Amino acid sequence: MSGDNRWCLIVNGKSAMDESLRSAVAAARERGPRIAVRVTWEDGDAARFVAEALLGGATALLAAGGDGTVGEVCGALASVG
């Protein structure tokens, strides 16, 4: 992988249209990192997105939406061996 910043933001579907979140992503993108936004809709999505991000060379993984989304992302990260 090259030295570029590649972030993956995993967002709960209910939060995906939140204007403040969308503005924060746009502002961060202007500063340089490439941010892939993945939206969860059903059980298992967050874990799948974590695996895809790690395989894709993400340099940062972020979660937004609520306790369930953050918990699912953290659980997926904890299971990576």
Side-chain angles (χ1 to χ4, degrees):
M1 180 182 127
S2 64
D4 62 342
N5 281 330
R6 299 210 247 156
W7 297 2
C8 179
L9 171 61
I10 300 172
V11 180
N12 179 285
K14 293 177 183 176
S15 301
M17 297 305 291
D18 181 277
E19 192 55 43
S20 61
L21 177 62
R22 296 171 69 84
S23 294
V25 169
R29 283 179 170 154
E30 288 178 8
R31 292 184 181 93
R34 294 188 305 171
I35 304 172
V37 178
R38 301 291 180 253
V39 179
T40 63
W41 294 109
E42 52 192 40
D43 289 339
D45 283 349
R48 184 168 39 87
F49 294 150
V50 166
E52 290 171 0
L54 295 175
L55 287 173
T59 58
L61 192 58
L62 305 110
D67 293 351
T69 302
V70 173
E72 197 174 342
V73 169
C74 290
L77 283 170
S79 70
V80 173

